[in-house]
Amino acid sequence: MKNKYVLRSKISETKFRHLARCFSLDLDARQAAALTGLNRNTINRYFHLIRTRIAEFCEYQSPFMGEIEVDESYFGGRRIKGKRGRGAAGKTPVFGIFQRNGRVYTEVVPDCAKATLQAIIRGRVSLDSIINTDGWLRYNVLVDFGYKKHLRVQHGQNEFARGRCHINGIESFWSFAKRRLMKFYGVPAHTFYLHLKECEFRFNYRGDDLYAIILKIIREKPLF
């Protein structure tokens, strides 16, 4: 069966396009199955493959330069009284970089240690950028690594902006991602990365034709 989007495909190209349209509209597997006539296992398999291609595509969206916001956030886990944000138990730490008037990049990290975050910033952000962070002490050494323009906003003092210094862009993404992931009623740890990258992709191209972009990505590197 000829299908330029899926190697050794058991579904037609027309059917795959229909499935990709459902994905671009952010329909769940049950809704997509009802519209395409495919069973939910097939839908879930192709959705997983599409997310894999999207994740690969997102990994190449750097370097970042200009006015940059960096921040870390925590996903999942059961809330424990007295523990929120940094240090909250059972949560997955994620580090994010946002280029103002541009795109966001996220990375699941084993921890938010100083060395971990610095390595990502140095690998993704040009040295002449203006970096905006909150007042967390672990960001203080960025100047020592060559980032001479480091601005900080003190959230701990109820300060959310200081002139042009703020991290509202990356915080907007965290809010978007967490709201969107809530609809899955819990994402398994082994697929969290793919779902996170899908959120990143949808946020970055929210004003564009996602269906056309997805088909272009997969046409260049077919599924199998």
Side-chain angles (χ1 to χ4, degrees):
M1 184 180 297
K2 184 68 173 178
N3 186 337
K4 62 176 174 286
Y5 298 100
V6 187
L7 302 179
R8 301 184 297 277
S9 175
K10 293 183 179 180
I11 64 174
S12 68
E13 183 174 311
T14 300
K15 185 71 73 173
F16 177 77
R17 283 176 172 268
H18 195 180
L19 185 153
R21 174 73 73 180
C22 291
F23 183 92
S24 70
L25 294 173
D26 210 8
L27 303 183
D28 61 29
R30 178 185 58 81
Q31 294 168 318
L35 290 172
T36 63
L38 299 170
N39 67 59
R40 289 178 64 175
N41 288 337
T42 299
I43 296 291
N44 282 324
R45 175 175 176 271
Y46 280 107
F47 277 14
H48 178 82
L49 292 172
I50 292 171
R51 289 188 180 106
T52 300
R53 285 290 180 270
I54 286 174
E56 294 170 351
F57 174 77
C58 288
E59 290 295 345
Y60 292 100
Q61 303 301 296
S62 62
F64 289 79
M65 59 188 68
E67 290 191 271
I68 306 297
E69 301 172 23
V70 302
D71 190 34
E72 78 291 336
S73 190
Y74 300 80
F75 288 74
R78 180 172 296 178
R79 178 176 293 176
I80 298 176
K81 186 176 182 180
K83 292 187 177 182
R84 285 184 165 185
R86 296 182 176 114
K91 291 182 176 288
T92 300
V94 178
F95 184 63
I97 301 171
F98 176 73
Q99 180 175 315
R100 290 185 185 169
N101 301 315
R103 296 171 183 166
V104 67
Y105 169 81
T106 61
E107 189 164 325
V108 179
V109 292
D111 53 59
C112 288
K114 180 169 58 179
T116 302
L117 304 188
Q118 289 169 1
I120 299 172
I121 294 172
R122 293 178 71 185
R124 296 278 176 178
V125 181
S126 64
L127 285 174
D128 58 349
S129 297
I130 301 172
I131 300 184
N132 296 263
T133 73
D134 61 19
W136 199 23
L137 293 177
R138 293 182 182 179
Y139 293 126
N140 288 351
V141 297
L142 288 176
V143 172
D144 298 334
F145 284 95
Y147 295 96
K148 303 302 182 184
K149 301 174 182 178
H150 177 201
L151 309 177
R152 280 160 285 208
V153 60
Q154 300 297 332
H155 284 177
Q157 300 174 18
N158 292 322
E159 181 182 63
F160 296 97
R162 181 185 296 173
R164 291 185 60 82
C165 178
H166 62 78
I167 55 172
N168 297 340
I170 186 64
E171 289 184 333
S172 176
F173 170 74
W174 296 140
S175 179
F176 164 80
K178 290 178 179 180
R179 286 198 313 271
R180 185 177 175 279
L181 292 177
M182 283 179 63
K183 77 174 188 175
F184 295 101
Y185 301 102
V187 175
H190 67 281
T191 62
F192 173 72
Y193 165 76
L194 295 180
H195 282 280
L196 177 68
K197 285 298 180 181
E198 182 186 351
C199 290
E200 178 184 318
F201 175 78
R202 290 183 182 278
F203 184 86
N204 288 341
Y205 296 94
R206 57 196 179 278
D208 299 316
D209 184 349
L210 294 183
Y211 172 65
I213 297 171
I214 289 168
L215 288 184
K216 182 175 185 297
I217 291 170
I218 298 174
R219 180 69 179 89
E220 293 175 353
K221 189 177 180 181
L223 307 178
F224 54 87

